[in-house]
PDB file of all heavy atoms in Angstrom:
ATOM      1  N   GLN A1044      -7.078  13.081 -34.638  1.00  0.00           N
ATOM      2  CA  GLN A1044      -8.098  12.017 -34.633  1.00  0.00           C
ATOM      3  C   GLN A1044      -7.634  10.924 -33.688  1.00  0.00           C
ATOM      4  O   GLN A1044      -6.938   9.982 -34.083  1.00  0.00           O
ATOM      5  CB  GLN A1044      -8.286  11.458 -36.031  1.00  0.00           C
ATOM      6  CG  GLN A1044      -9.434  12.094 -36.788  1.00  0.00           C
ATOM      7  CD  GLN A1044      -9.629  11.410 -38.109  1.00  0.00           C
ATOM      8  OE1 GLN A1044      -8.759  11.502 -38.972  1.00  0.00           O
ATOM      9  NE2 GLN A1044     -10.730  10.722 -38.266  1.00  0.00           N
ATOM     10  N   GLU A1045      -8.003  11.089 -32.442  1.00  0.00           N
ATOM     11  CA  GLU A1045      -7.567  10.156 -31.383  1.00  0.00           C
ATOM     12  C   GLU A1045      -8.655  10.052 -30.336  1.00  0.00           C
ATOM     13  O   GLU A1045      -9.272  11.060 -29.969  1.00  0.00           O
ATOM     14  CB  GLU A1045      -6.289  10.679 -30.724  1.00  0.00           C
ATOM     15  CG  GLU A1045      -5.633   9.709 -29.750  1.00  0.00           C
ATOM     16  CD  GLU A1045      -6.091   9.809 -28.298  1.00  0.00           C
ATOM     17  OE1 GLU A1045      -6.911  10.729 -27.985  1.00  0.00           O
ATOM     18  OE2 GLU A1045      -5.670   9.004 -27.477  1.00  0.00           O
ATOM     19  N   ILE A1046      -8.909   8.855 -29.861  1.00  0.00           N
ATOM     20  CA  ILE A1046      -9.850   8.640 -28.750  1.00  0.00           C
ATOM     21  C   ILE A1046      -9.217   7.647 -27.781  1.00  0.00           C
ATOM     22  O   ILE A1046      -8.319   6.898 -28.165  1.00  0.00           O
ATOM     23  CB  ILE A1046     -11.221   8.111 -29.234  1.00  0.00           C
ATOM     24  CG1 ILE A1046     -11.049   6.809 -30.023  1.00  0.00           C
ATOM     25  CG2 ILE A1046     -11.942   9.171 -30.064  1.00  0.00           C
ATOM     26  CD1 ILE A1046     -12.358   6.146 -30.401  1.00  0.00           C
ATOM     27  N   PHE A1047      -9.693   7.648 -26.546  1.00  0.00           N
ATOM     28  CA  PHE A1047      -9.132   6.680 -25.593  1.00  0.00           C
ATOM     29  C   PHE A1047     -10.164   6.294 -24.555  1.00  0.00           C
ATOM     30  O   PHE A1047     -11.249   6.877 -24.476  1.00  0.00           O
ATOM     31  CB  PHE A1047      -7.853   7.228 -24.944  1.00  0.00           C
ATOM     32  CG  PHE A1047      -8.046   8.398 -24.006  1.00  0.00           C
ATOM     33  CD1 PHE A1047      -8.142   8.192 -22.640  1.00  0.00           C
ATOM     34  CD2 PHE A1047      -8.113   9.693 -24.476  1.00  0.00           C
ATOM     35  CE1 PHE A1047      -8.290   9.267 -21.764  1.00  0.00           C
ATOM     36  CE2 PHE A1047      -8.266  10.778 -23.615  1.00  0.00           C
ATOM     37  CZ  PHE A1047      -8.355  10.555 -22.254  1.00  0.00           C
ATOM     38  N   GLU A1048      -9.807   5.299 -23.778  1.00  0.00           N
ATOM     39  CA  GLU A1048     -10.641   4.833 -22.667  1.00  0.00           C
ATOM     40  C   GLU A1048      -9.741   4.614 -21.460  1.00  0.00           C
ATOM     41  O   GLU A1048      -8.512   4.604 -21.585  1.00  0.00           O
ATOM     42  CB  GLU A1048     -11.354   3.522 -23.028  1.00  0.00           C
ATOM     43  CG  GLU A1048     -12.667   3.728 -23.747  1.00  0.00           C
ATOM     44  CD  GLU A1048     -13.653   4.557 -22.923  1.00  0.00           C
ATOM     45  OE1 GLU A1048     -13.698   4.391 -21.690  1.00  0.00           O
ATOM     46  OE2 GLU A1048     -14.376   5.380 -23.515  1.00  0.00           O
ATOM     47  N   GLY A1049     -10.345   4.438 -20.310  1.00  0.00           N
ATOM     48  CA  GLY A1049      -9.578   4.120 -19.113  1.00  0.00           C
ATOM     49  C   GLY A1049     -10.400   3.188 -18.250  1.00  0.00           C
ATOM     50  O   GLY A1049     -11.575   3.455 -17.985  1.00  0.00           O
ATOM     51  N   LEU A1050      -9.825   2.067 -17.881  1.00  0.00           N
ATOM     52  CA  LEU A1050     -10.482   1.168 -16.924  1.00  0.00           C
ATOM     53  C   LEU A1050      -9.394   0.413 -16.181  1.00  0.00           C
ATOM     54  O   LEU A1050      -8.221   0.552 -16.516  1.00  0.00           O
ATOM     55  CB  LEU A1050     -11.535   0.278 -17.585  1.00  0.00           C
ATOM     56  CG  LEU A1050     -11.224  -0.726 -18.664  1.00  0.00           C
ATOM     57  CD1 LEU A1050     -12.491  -1.532 -18.996  1.00  0.00           C
ATOM     58  CD2 LEU A1050     -10.777  -0.073 -19.956  1.00  0.00           C
ATOM     59  N   LYS A1051      -9.791  -0.314 -15.163  1.00  0.00           N
ATOM     60  CA  LYS A1051      -8.774  -0.933 -14.316  1.00  0.00           C
ATOM     61  C   LYS A1051      -8.989  -2.430 -14.166  1.00  0.00           C
ATOM     62  O   LYS A1051     -10.135  -2.898 -14.182  1.00  0.00           O
ATOM     63  CB  LYS A1051      -8.820  -0.307 -12.912  1.00  0.00           C
ATOM     64  CG  LYS A1051      -8.223   1.101 -12.852  1.00  0.00           C
ATOM     65  CD  LYS A1051      -8.434   1.700 -11.475  1.00  0.00           C
ATOM     66  CE  LYS A1051      -7.663   3.000 -11.311  1.00  0.00           C
ATOM     67  NZ  LYS A1051      -8.039   3.696 -10.073  1.00  0.00           N
ATOM     68  N   ALA A1052      -7.879  -3.154 -13.962  1.00  0.00           N
ATOM     69  CA  ALA A1052      -7.954  -4.574 -13.612  1.00  0.00           C
ATOM     70  C   ALA A1052      -7.578  -4.700 -12.137  1.00  0.00           C
ATOM     71  O   ALA A1052      -6.598  -4.095 -11.689  1.00  0.00           O
ATOM     72  CB  ALA A1052      -6.996  -5.381 -14.477  1.00  0.00           C
ATOM     73  N   TYR A1053      -8.397  -5.466 -11.411  1.00  0.00           N
ATOM     74  CA  TYR A1053      -8.223  -5.612  -9.954  1.00  0.00           C
ATOM     75  C   TYR A1053      -7.903  -7.064  -9.631  1.00  0.00           C
ATOM     76  O   TYR A1053      -8.568  -7.976 -10.145  1.00  0.00           O
ATOM     77  CB  TYR A1053      -9.530  -5.244  -9.224  1.00  0.00           C
ATOM     78  CG  TYR A1053     -10.098  -3.920  -9.660  1.00  0.00           C
ATOM     79  CD1 TYR A1053     -10.986  -3.844 -10.737  1.00  0.00           C
ATOM     80  CD2 TYR A1053      -9.744  -2.743  -9.000  1.00  0.00           C
ATOM     81  CE1 TYR A1053     -11.501  -2.627 -11.151  1.00  0.00           C
ATOM     82  CE2 TYR A1053     -10.255  -1.519  -9.407  1.00  0.00           C
ATOM     83  CZ  TYR A1053     -11.136  -1.463 -10.484  1.00  0.00           C
ATOM     84  OH  TYR A1053     -11.638  -0.254 -10.904  1.00  0.00           O
ATOM     85  N   ARG A1054      -6.952  -7.266  -8.726  1.00  0.00           N
ATOM     86  CA  ARG A1054      -6.655  -8.633  -8.271  1.00  0.00           C
ATOM     87  C   ARG A1054      -7.476  -8.922  -7.027  1.00  0.00           C
ATOM     88  O   ARG A1054      -7.400  -8.186  -6.038  1.00  0.00           O
ATOM     89  CB  ARG A1054      -5.165  -8.795  -7.976  1.00  0.00           C
ATOM     90  CG  ARG A1054      -4.808 -10.252  -7.685  1.00  0.00           C
ATOM     91  CD  ARG A1054      -3.326 -10.440  -7.449  1.00  0.00           C
ATOM     92  NE  ARG A1054      -2.495 -10.211  -8.619  1.00  0.00           N
ATOM     93  CZ  ARG A1054      -2.353 -11.069  -9.639  1.00  0.00           C
ATOM     94  NH1 ARG A1054      -3.013 -12.212  -9.625  1.00  0.00           N
ATOM     95  NH2 ARG A1054      -1.569 -10.789 -10.653  1.00  0.00           N
ATOM     96  N   HIS A1055      -8.292  -9.953  -7.082  1.00  0.00           N
ATOM     97  CA  HIS A1055      -9.110 -10.326  -5.926  1.00  0.00           C
ATOM     98  C   HIS A1055      -8.302 -11.250  -5.007  1.00  0.00           C
ATOM     99  O   HIS A1055      -7.230 -11.733  -5.369  1.00  0.00           O
ATOM    100  CB  HIS A1055     -10.412 -10.987  -6.403  1.00  0.00           C
ATOM    101  CG  HIS A1055     -11.370  -9.994  -7.013  1.00  0.00           C
ATOM    102  ND1 HIS A1055     -12.651 -10.304  -7.369  1.00  0.00           N
ATOM    103  CD2 HIS A1055     -11.223  -8.666  -7.314  1.00  0.00           C
ATOM    104  CE1 HIS A1055     -13.259  -9.229  -7.865  1.00  0.00           C
ATOM    105  NE2 HIS A1055     -12.405  -8.221  -7.851  1.00  0.00           N
ATOM    106  N   ALA A1056      -8.850 -11.459  -3.821  1.00  0.00           N
ATOM    107  CA  ALA A1056      -8.104 -12.202  -2.785  1.00  0.00           C
ATOM    108  C   ALA A1056      -7.700 -13.600  -3.241  1.00  0.00           C
ATOM    109  O   ALA A1056      -6.652 -14.110  -2.844  1.00  0.00           O
ATOM    110  CB  ALA A1056      -8.948 -12.279  -1.517  1.00  0.00           C
ATOM    111  N   ASP A1057      -8.511 -14.219  -4.107  1.00  0.00           N
ATOM    112  CA  ASP A1057      -8.173 -15.582  -4.565  1.00  0.00           C
ATOM    113  C   ASP A1057      -7.195 -15.573  -5.743  1.00  0.00           C
ATOM    114  O   ASP A1057      -6.923 -16.619  -6.335  1.00  0.00           O
ATOM    115  CB  ASP A1057      -9.455 -16.342  -4.955  1.00  0.00           C
ATOM    116  CG  ASP A1057     -10.156 -15.720  -6.163  1.00  0.00           C
ATOM    117  OD1 ASP A1057      -9.671 -14.682  -6.679  1.00  0.00           O
ATOM    118  OD2 ASP A1057     -11.188 -16.276  -6.604  1.00  0.00           O
ATOM    119  N   GLY A1058      -6.696 -14.390  -6.113  1.00  0.00           N
ATOM    120  CA  GLY A1058      -5.709 -14.294  -7.197  1.00  0.00           C
ATOM    121  C   GLY A1058      -6.325 -14.017  -8.552  1.00  0.00           C
ATOM    122  O   GLY A1058      -5.623 -13.659  -9.502  1.00  0.00           O
ATOM    123  N   SER A1059      -7.643 -14.194  -8.691  1.00  0.00           N
ATOM    124  CA  SER A1059      -8.290 -13.951  -9.983  1.00  0.00           C
ATOM    125  C   SER A1059      -8.267 -12.448 -10.306  1.00  0.00           C
ATOM    126  O   SER A1059      -8.139 -11.608  -9.417  1.00  0.00           O
ATOM    127  CB  SER A1059      -9.733 -14.484  -9.968  1.00  0.00           C
ATOM    128  OG  SER A1059     -10.470 -13.846  -8.951  1.00  0.00           O
ATOM    129  N   ILE A1060      -8.387 -12.120 -11.591  1.00  0.00           N
ATOM    130  CA  ILE A1060      -8.274 -10.725 -12.036  1.00  0.00           C
ATOM    131  C   ILE A1060      -9.560 -10.317 -12.746  1.00  0.00           C
ATOM    132  O   ILE A1060     -10.036 -11.017 -13.651  1.00  0.00           O
ATOM    133  CB  ILE A1060      -7.058 -10.554 -12.978  1.00  0.00           C
ATOM    134  CG1 ILE A1060      -5.770 -10.974 -12.249  1.00  0.00           C
ATOM    135  CG2 ILE A1060      -6.946  -9.120 -13.480  1.00  0.00           C
ATOM    136  CD1 ILE A1060      -4.561 -11.096 -13.160  1.00  0.00           C
ATOM    137  N   TRP A1061     -10.095  -9.179 -12.333  1.00  0.00           N
ATOM    138  CA  TRP A1061     -11.405  -8.725 -12.804  1.00  0.00           C
ATOM    139  C   TRP A1061     -11.330  -7.286 -13.284  1.00  0.00           C
ATOM    140  O   TRP A1061     -10.461  -6.531 -12.871  1.00  0.00           O
ATOM    141  CB  TRP A1061     -12.415  -8.799 -11.649  1.00  0.00           C
ATOM    142  CG  TRP A1061     -12.624 -10.184 -11.115  1.00  0.00           C
ATOM    143  CD1 TRP A1061     -11.747 -10.914 -10.359  1.00  0.00           C
ATOM    144  CD2 TRP A1061     -13.766 -11.018 -11.327  1.00  0.00           C
ATOM    145  NE1 TRP A1061     -12.277 -12.150 -10.069  1.00  0.00           N
ATOM    146  CE2 TRP A1061     -13.524 -12.239 -10.653  1.00  0.00           C
ATOM    147  CE3 TRP A1061     -14.983 -10.861 -12.006  1.00  0.00           C
ATOM    148  CZ2 TRP A1061     -14.443 -13.285 -10.649  1.00  0.00           C
ATOM    149  CZ3 TRP A1061     -15.904 -11.900 -11.993  1.00  0.00           C
ATOM    150  CH2 TRP A1061     -15.626 -13.091 -11.327  1.00  0.00           C
ATOM    151  N   THR A1062     -12.284  -6.907 -14.126  1.00  0.00           N
ATOM    152  CA  THR A1062     -12.421  -5.492 -14.450  1.00  0.00           C
ATOM    153  C   THR A1062     -13.875  -5.064 -14.236  1.00  0.00           C
ATOM    154  O   THR A1062     -14.747  -5.897 -13.952  1.00  0.00           O
ATOM    155  CB  THR A1062     -11.918  -5.175 -15.871  1.00  0.00           C
ATOM    156  OG1 THR A1062     -11.793  -3.754 -16.000  1.00  0.00           O
ATOM    157  CG2 THR A1062     -12.856  -5.690 -16.953  1.00  0.00           C
ATOM    158  N   PHE A1063     -14.102  -3.765 -14.343  1.00  0.00           N
ATOM    159  CA  PHE A1063     -15.374  -3.172 -13.934  1.00  0.00           C
ATOM    160  C   PHE A1063     -16.106  -2.592 -15.151  1.00  0.00           C
ATOM    161  O   PHE A1063     -15.564  -1.702 -15.828  1.00  0.00           O
ATOM    162  CB  PHE A1063     -15.059  -2.048 -12.927  1.00  0.00           C
ATOM    163  CG  PHE A1063     -16.258  -1.372 -12.329  1.00  0.00           C
ATOM    164  CD1 PHE A1063     -17.067  -2.024 -11.407  1.00  0.00           C
ATOM    165  CD2 PHE A1063     -16.575  -0.065 -12.678  1.00  0.00           C
ATOM    166  CE1 PHE A1063     -18.160  -1.386 -10.839  1.00  0.00           C
ATOM    167  CE2 PHE A1063     -17.665   0.573 -12.112  1.00  0.00           C
ATOM    168  CZ  PHE A1063     -18.458  -0.086 -11.193  1.00  0.00           C
ATOM    169  N   ARG A1064     -17.259  -3.113 -15.465  1.00  0.00           N
ATOM    170  CA  ARG A1064     -18.157  -2.605 -16.505  1.00  0.00           C
ATOM    171  C   ARG A1064     -17.458  -2.330 -17.841  1.00  0.00           C
ATOM    172  O   ARG A1064     -17.621  -1.247 -18.430  1.00  0.00           O
ATOM    173  CB  ARG A1064     -18.864  -1.334 -16.010  1.00  0.00           C
ATOM    174  CG  ARG A1064     -19.570  -1.541 -14.669  1.00  0.00           C
ATOM    175  CD  ARG A1064     -20.413  -0.358 -14.259  1.00  0.00           C
ATOM    176  NE  ARG A1064     -21.648  -0.302 -15.042  1.00  0.00           N
ATOM    177  CZ  ARG A1064     -22.599   0.625 -14.868  1.00  0.00           C
ATOM    178  NH1 ARG A1064     -22.448   1.567 -13.953  1.00  0.00           N
ATOM    179  NH2 ARG A1064     -23.680   0.613 -15.591  1.00  0.00           N
ATOM    180  N   PRO A1065     -16.663  -3.281 -18.341  1.00  0.00           N
ATOM    181  CA  PRO A1065     -15.917  -2.988 -19.582  1.00  0.00           C
ATOM    182  C   PRO A1065     -16.826  -2.745 -20.785  1.00  0.00           C
ATOM    183  O   PRO A1065     -16.443  -2.012 -21.698  1.00  0.00           O
ATOM    184  CB  PRO A1065     -15.063  -4.249 -19.787  1.00  0.00           C
ATOM    185  CG  PRO A1065     -15.813  -5.327 -19.076  1.00  0.00           C
ATOM    186  CD  PRO A1065     -16.442  -4.665 -17.884  1.00  0.00           C
ATOM    187  N   GLN A1066     -18.029  -3.347 -20.758  1.00  0.00           N
ATOM    188  CA  GLN A1066     -18.926  -3.105 -21.894  1.00  0.00           C
ATOM    189  C   GLN A1066     -19.300  -1.624 -21.969  1.00  0.00           C
ATOM    190  O   GLN A1066     -19.465  -1.069 -23.063  1.00  0.00           O
ATOM    191  CB  GLN A1066     -20.212  -3.948 -21.795  1.00  0.00           C
ATOM    192  CG  GLN A1066     -19.996  -5.451 -21.959  1.00  0.00           C
ATOM    193  CD  GLN A1066     -19.684  -6.151 -20.638  1.00  0.00           C
ATOM    194  OE1 GLN A1066     -19.498  -5.517 -19.593  1.00  0.00           O
ATOM    195  NE2 GLN A1066     -19.618  -7.466 -20.692  1.00  0.00           N
TER     196      GLN A1066
END
Side-chain angles (χ1 to χ4, degrees):
Q1044 265 185 294
E1045 188 270 356
I1046 57 174
F1047 68 97
E1048 273 301 322
L1050 62 175
K1051 285 174 171 170
Y1053 310 89
R1054 188 178 293 283
H1055 287 188
D1057 65 358
S1059 59
I1060 301 169
W1061 298 72
T1062 193
F1063 183 71
R1064 307 187 75 178
Q1066 292 88 353

